[in-house]
Amino acid sequence: YTMLLLGLGLRSLSLTPGVVPEVKRVIRSLTLKEAISATEEVMAFEDAGETVDYLQERVSRLVPEMS
């Protein structure tokens, strides 16, 4: 959900140490403009399942090793 959180305006995240490398990889792989664009698209979805599928697909394109 990193992309979505950035798109919503969060700039400070509290993380457990184990997820820090994964979150850093996502953040370094996208622009703020991409995060905002993804968030705008997600806001039009009808249910949470669509959102999860969409975000997973977008992140896997940005960071293939996270697929």
Side-chain angles (χ1 to χ4, degrees):
Y1 299 96
T2 303
M3 182 183 293
L4 180 61
L5 294 173
L6 291 173
L8 288 170
L10 275 94
R11 298 297 179 264
S12 179
L13 304 171
S14 179
L15 308 168
T16 59
V19 299
V20 169
E22 181 178 314
V23 171
K24 284 173 92 171
R25 213 169 319 146
V26 171
I27 291 171
R28 290 176 177 164
S29 299
L30 65 107
T31 66
L32 189 54
K33 188 174 182 176
E34 289 171 319
I36 292 169
S37 173
T39 300
E40 289 171 350
E41 288 188 50
V42 163
M43 298 304 256
F45 293 163
E46 296 292 323
D47 62 63
E50 282 183 275
T51 300
V52 170
D53 292 344
Y54 175 81
L55 292 173
Q56 287 176 340
E57 192 271 325
R58 287 282 302 255
V59 169
S60 70
R61 276 194 276 143
L62 289 169
V63 189
E65 63 270 15
M66 292 181 66
S67 299

